[in-house]
Amino acid sequence: MTHDKALATATAQIRRASASASHRPSIAGFFDEATNTVSYVVHDPATKEAAIIDSVLDFEAASGRTSNGSADLIIEYITSNNLKVMWLIETHAHADHISAAPYLQDKLGGKLAIGREIIRVQEVFGKLFNAGTDFERDGSQFDKLFDDGETFQIGELEGIALHVPGHTPADMAFIIGDAAFVGDTIFMPDFGTARADFPGGDAHQLFRSIRRLLSLPDATRLFLCHDYKAPGRDDYAWETTVKQQREENVHVKDGVTEEDFVAMRTSRDKTLAMPKLIMPSVQVNIRGGRLPEPEDNGVSYIKIPVNAV
């Protein structure tokens, strides 16, 4: 088996953070019930430098109107705690909510970042939406494209990006101190794992990505992008650990083989409806959260390809 240098680096970082409180981040979660999405503000208590992860722009599909209530809660938290935003991080190009990163960047600053494989997603969906030659498919809508194993800083906190494809080709987990922000790869143990049937998705890759994450130290804190309250659970939850996932995840706990997982995931995905906001979300998110360019009447339009998906 090939040595996973990036995983080893992440493991060493987590162990350092676990041994010293000064290496661990302060984390605030903001749950948007309309999209079942959790956004995070992660900051270094020593320097007040911060990152915003997976923000939400409110969107009313029937009217096509956007609003900033969810993002404004984050702005209020940032300003009231005197934080300085260094990063606006997207774990992937979401299909279930629109990113508020450009709005937050305009108000708070920071660099907009995503995984380098966003280029593949832009190519696929650029064709689907017939985005034209004006739509750049090189990731240039973002300030930073992270590679697997690339490290970064938030103040004195160590961070590392791990490529975890499967849900989409571009999914990244961002580990800050002892906390891993894992996007849509995995959910709470009683709900399981992400779907793998979007363009570019792959259940085999998803299994390997999840097992890669679950090779991190047992005490690693995992922060999830969504929660849907599994049957029998009354409260939303979005924090778990590697140990809990390995012991309890209904889809991918220890002992589940790749073949069993792929069979389950493939069968289950066939029963799932498309996310209700997939058309507006993907079109906007592959542009770094920016609306399509206004047409000659000054209005932006969202396309819906008919009989194409």
Side-chain angles (χ1 to χ4, degrees):
M1 183 175 179
T2 303
H3 176 66
D4 190 335
K5 182 178 178 181
L7 185 68
T9 302
T11 296
Q13 173 190 300
I14 290 164
R15 287 178 175 154
R16 286 191 294 272
S18 296
S20 172
S22 65
H23 287 77
R24 295 195 291 271
S26 176
I27 300 167
F30 298 81
F31 185 72
D32 176 54
E33 192 164 357
T35 62
N36 295 91
T37 302
V38 194
S39 305
Y40 297 97
V41 175
V42 186
H43 80 268
D44 172 21
T47 65
K48 299 286 189 175
E49 291 190 2
I52 300 171
I53 301 175
D54 291 336
S55 61
V56 174
L57 180 73
D58 301 316
F59 181 74
E60 212 290 308
S63 67
R65 289 194 172 274
T66 64
S67 57
N68 301 310
S70 296
D72 285 339
L73 291 175
I74 290 176
I75 292 173
E76 181 182 357
Y77 178 84
I78 293 283
T79 54
S80 65
N81 286 280
N82 298 312
L83 304 182
K84 180 180 180 181
V85 175
M86 307 304 293
W87 295 101
L88 301 114
I89 292 172
E90 302 291 330
T91 55
H92 62 297
H94 308 276
D96 40 28
H97 73 272
I98 296 174
S99 169
Y103 173 75
L104 291 167
Q105 188 175 41
D106 181 63
K107 300 291 184 181
L108 301 169
K111 292 183 178 181
L112 175 56
I114 199 167
R116 184 169 298 281
E117 292 301 307
I118 187 60
I119 295 168
R120 287 181 57 193
V121 178
Q122 288 177 329
E123 185 64 32
V124 169
F125 284 101
K127 290 178 180 178
L128 176 64
F129 293 116
N130 197 29
T133 56
D134 289 341
F135 172 57
E136 299 291 345
R137 295 161 170 82
D138 58 1
S140 59
Q141 299 85 351
F142 300 85
D143 300 311
K144 172 66 180 176
L145 302 182
F146 274 102
D147 293 304
D148 182 55
E150 190 168 354
T151 60
F152 60 100
Q153 294 284 135
I154 302 173
E156 297 174 6
L157 298 176
E158 298 176 290
I160 185 170
L162 295 182
H163 186 212
V164 286
H167 174 61
T168 79
D171 279 64
M172 299 290 283
F174 291 89
I175 304 171
I176 302 168
D178 66 330
F181 299 86
V182 298
D184 286 14
T185 54
I186 200 166
F187 300 134
M188 290 299 290
D190 57 0
F191 200 86
T193 58
R195 66 195 299 166
D197 61 333
F198 293 150
D202 185 293
H204 289 281
Q205 280 192 330
L206 181 60
F207 178 84
R208 295 166 193 166
S209 292
I210 291 171
R211 294 311 305 181
R212 188 187 195 200
L213 289 172
L214 298 187
S215 298
L216 294 168
D218 282 354
T220 306
R221 296 183 288 163
L222 304 181
F223 290 87
L224 317 180
C225 190
H226 297 286
D227 186 54
Y228 302 95
K229 283 198 300 190
R233 176 155 55 84
D234 295 328
D235 299 316
Y236 291 110
W238 48 81
E239 180 180 351
T240 177
T241 64
V242 164
K243 184 176 189 293
Q244 185 181 20
Q245 293 283 4
R246 292 185 63 158
E247 293 178 349
E248 301 176 17
N249 189 284
V250 294
H251 292 167
V252 73
K253 64 186 176 184
D254 287 354
V256 174
T257 67
E258 182 172 337
E259 292 72 21
D260 289 342
F261 175 83
V262 170
M264 176 282 301
R265 191 68 268 168
T266 303
S267 174
R268 182 177 173 86
D269 287 351
K270 290 178 181 178
T271 71
L272 300 178
M274 285 288 104
K276 63 182 180 180
L277 294 183
I278 186 171
M279 294 302 173
S281 294
V282 173
Q283 280 177 81
V284 175
N285 292 337
I286 60 174
R287 292 175 165 88
R290 298 171 185 88
L291 296 174
E293 285 297 313
E295 298 192 8
D296 56 11
N297 62 355
V299 177
S300 293
Y301 289 86
I302 298 293
K303 292 181 179 179
I304 298 179
V306 178
N307 298 325
V309 178

